Amino acid sequence: MFRRVAIVAASTVLVLVGSAAVLRAIDFGNENSPTIAQAPNERPGKRGPGLMRDLNLSADQMRSIQQIRSRYRDQLDNDRTAARQAQQELRKLMAGSAKDDEIRDKFRQVQSLRAKAAEAQFNSMLEMRGVLTQEQRQKFSEHMEKRRGEMRERFRDRMPGI
């Protein structure tokens, strides 16, 4: 039973982290972050050429995607925070003397909050997808598949046996 819960939790974490990586991959310039015009080596903390540079977005596309990200940012932050808090509460219940029904209820709450965050993430990605051309979508998809592979490798290295 615990192994099953651990696998479900690990899978959920991978989905949420992967979704977060998608939004973070779309890194837009503001006063404190690099702009699309900067050379790849000028992007502190980044590996290789930036995704936005690779996609060759127009100014209108950049604006549209920035607006989409802004609309979803607070909701995603709040949903993720609520899910993390509920997960911590679930861990305390599991370690304590809570009744099974109470633990099940908390688990359902955690799953619901994670689903809510994942849905908001998906909706924002779907809106951003509508801004991209078919060629840009393909490049974006290839980039994200590469990142998912890297994340799977890191997860496998950290969690042997799962």
Side-chain angles (χ1 to χ4, degrees), residues 26-108:
I26 302 178
D27 190 19
F28 299 99
N30 61 33
E31 304 86 42
N32 299 321
S33 65
T35 64
I36 199 167
Q38 288 178 311
N41 294 337
E42 295 176 14
R43 299 179 74 226
K46 302 289 180 180
R47 299 173 305 217
L51 177 59
M52 293 300 100
R53 184 180 190 121
D54 289 348
L55 293 180
N56 196 26
L57 296 176
S58 70
D60 284 343
Q61 286 176 309
M62 287 282 288
R63 249 188 316 280
S64 294
I65 291 175
Q66 284 175 329
Q67 289 171 349
I68 292 167
R69 287 186 76 206
S70 292
R71 267 198 323 272
Y72 283 93
R73 184 173 290 120
D74 288 342
Q75 178 185 356
L76 285 166
D77 287 345
N78 292 338
D79 290 348
R80 288 181 186 130
T81 299
R84 275 193 301 272
Q85 182 178 5
Q87 180 66 44
Q88 288 173 347
E89 293 168 7
L90 176 60
R91 285 188 194 116
K92 288 178 184 175
L93 292 174
M94 291 290 287
S97 59
K99 294 182 180 179
D100 289 355
D101 288 342
E102 186 180 359
I103 294 171
R104 279 191 187 92
D105 288 344
K106 183 57 70 174
F107 178 74
R108 286 186 197 104

Side-chain angles (χ1 to χ4, degrees), residues 21-22 24-26 43 47-52 54-55 136-150:
V22 170
R24 287 189 186 100
I26 302 178
R43 299 179 74 226
R47 299 173 305 217
L51 177 59
M52 293 300 100
D54 289 348
L55 293 180
Q136 289 167 329
R137 288 178 189 170
Q138 184 62 40
K139 284 182 183 179
F140 182 79
S141 177
E142 290 167 4
H143 176 83
M144 292 316 300
E145 188 59 38
K146 180 180 173 189
R147 288 187 67 155
R148 278 189 290 273
E150 292 168 355

